[in-house]
Amino acid sequence: VVRQLLRALRLPLQIGFVLLLLAFLGRAAYLRWDDVRQIQVSAHPAWITLGTLLTIIFTLGLSLNWQWLVRRLSPHETDLSSLGLHHTFLTSFVTRYLPAGTFVNIGGKVELLRRQGGSRSLAWESVVYEIVFLMGGGLFLAWVAFLAEPAPWLLGQWESLYPVMMAGLTVAWILCFAAPDRVLLWSWSVLRRKAPAAPSARLRVFDRLTAFVLYTLVNLVQGLAVLFMLFAVYPDMPRQVPVMLHVIAAYPIGRLVGQAAPFAPGGIGVREATFVFLATPWLPLKPVLIAATLMRLISILVEILSASVVVGLARWDSRRVPQGE
């Protein structure tokens, strides 16, 4: 009964959640209207072009990283083509915006990989590993940004606990790469309310170090993309390294929050709200909102274009295979 009720309420809840986030951003703009009105924005095509190119690199790089994970976790006899895996990953990017999608935006990729010949357990494991490594890379960038320029405002009246937060952040990003199995088992135990079993240690130490580099790089590429969007709309943006580091780290963190947020298809609204919350202490609200919106629009266009190209290549490739093979 509960599942039927949630299925019936899914679309209204998703729409209401997005509208609530938009109302939150509108209220923030209203309360700071004087600051918003005084900031001059523009549009520089060169910076937008660079940001778009980096968004394309991020999208394809994330797909390749996930393929690397799938091949490390799958048995040797599993035959999965690179084109089929690209098709699965990029199509799941587009379908996660559908209102009929799952509450947490990972179910579509699991189903698509199963159709390509992979098992459901392999699909779930690869997707959750990807979330853990992406989280580790994002937290590492945030840790570097906080080292360059402390941000005690995050804790408000609990500012004295800032060193504790930094220590916890350090432990978190190290655990995501050093012991991803432990993180997975802990998450599974929370979701299922069961005691975790012994970790399987599916990935070797070298694989974990490789994942650290790969997923930190894709987070960095997306952070640079949104930084270039800010350069495009806000020419007077401060060029201090600590400020730019916070912008670079804020967007990947916002993407992860949006991916895990319930009732938000594609994390729309959640990603932007998180990015605004993390970036506005360093920058004015108006250019941050415009850059976040521009980044979302370009990301959607890149995802649709990439998925369309891969689907077209897959159909062309299937026609080349003789019937019966």
Side-chain angles (χ1 to χ4, degrees):
V1 175
V2 174
R3 288 190 177 185
Q4 292 177 351
L5 181 61
L6 287 175
R7 192 176 295 111
L9 294 176
R10 182 180 297 170
L11 180 57
L13 286 173
Q14 288 177 338
I15 295 174
F17 192 76
V18 173
L19 291 177
L20 182 64
L21 287 171
L22 293 176
F24 167 77
L25 294 176
R27 182 176 180 275
Y30 173 77
L31 294 176
R32 301 172 59 178
W33 178 247
D34 290 336
D35 295 336
V36 170
R37 185 175 53 184
Q38 293 173 5
I39 299 298
Q40 299 296 322
V41 297
S42 58
H44 290 267
W47 287 118
I48 294 176
T49 302
L50 285 174
T52 303
L53 290 175
L54 286 179
T55 303
I56 295 173
I57 294 173
F58 163 78
T59 303
L60 296 179
L62 197 57
S63 178
L64 290 172
N65 285 0
W66 179 69
Q67 290 188 39
W68 176 85
L69 268 179
V70 169
R71 298 192 187 284
R72 287 295 183 280
L73 296 170
S74 60
H76 295 294
E77 62 272 11
T78 304
D79 185 18
L80 297 171
S81 68
S82 295
L83 185 59
L85 291 175
H86 273 305
H87 180 281
T88 296
F89 188 89
L90 296 173
T91 305
S92 71
F93 255 35
V94 178
T95 56
R96 69 183 187 213
Y97 290 104
L98 297 176
T102 56
F103 290 114
V104 179
N105 302 308
I106 59 177
K109 193 183 300 181
V110 172
E111 180 61 26
L112 288 168
L113 181 60
R114 190 183 64 81
R115 294 179 184 179
Q116 291 291 337
S119 65
R120 187 177 294 274
S121 60
L122 168 65
W124 276 105
E125 192 172 22
S126 65
V127 170
V128 181
Y129 262 115
E130 181 185 50
I131 293 175
V132 172
F133 287 133
L134 277 172
M135 181 172 60
L139 292 176
F140 173 75
L141 293 178
W143 179 74
V144 172
F146 289 156
L147 284 180
E149 182 68 32
W153 56 268
L154 278 173
L155 299 175
Q157 61 180 346
W158 306 99
E159 183 177 335
S160 59
L161 296 177
Y162 189 74
V164 178
M165 188 197 77
M166 286 298 295
L169 195 63
T170 306
V171 172
W173 74 259
I174 291 177
L175 279 177
C176 286
F177 295 110
D181 300 278
R182 289 287 182 184
V183 177
L184 289 176
L185 289 170
W186 176 80
S187 304
W188 186 253
S189 66
V190 171
L191 291 174
R192 295 292 183 180
R193 298 180 180 180
K194 295 179 180 178
S200 58
R202 294 290 301 278
L203 297 174
R204 299 173 300 171
V205 175
F206 178 77
D207 292 333
R208 296 171 191 177
L209 291 175
T210 304
F212 171 79
V213 175
L214 293 176
Y215 281 95
T216 301
L217 282 177
V218 293
N219 278 304
L220 179 62
V221 167
Q222 191 181 41
L224 287 172
V226 77
L227 179 66
F228 290 163
M229 297 300 176
L230 273 169
F231 287 165
V233 301
Y234 186 33
D236 298 330
M237 176 183 166
R239 297 302 201 265
Q240 289 91 344
V241 172
V243 174
M244 293 190 292
L245 284 175
H246 277 281
V247 171
I248 290 172
Y251 201 79
I253 294 296
R255 187 194 67 249
L256 290 170
V257 174
Q259 186 176 17
F263 313 125
I268 192 166
V270 181
R271 180 195 302 180
E272 289 73 24
T274 305
F275 176 67
V276 168
F277 173 76
L278 294 174
T280 47
W282 315 98
L283 297 171
L285 176 65
K286 186 177 181 179
V288 172
L289 276 175
I290 295 175
T293 304
L294 184 61
M295 187 68 184
R296 170 67 77 169
L297 292 175
I298 290 177
S299 297
I300 292 174
L301 291 175
V302 168
E303 291 162 7
I304 293 175
L305 179 61
S306 302
S308 301
V309 170
V310 170
V311 169
L313 288 174
R315 290 183 177 179
W316 179 75
D317 189 61
S318 62
R319 292 174 182 173
R320 292 176 59 245
V321 178
Q323 188 174 3
E325 292 190 12

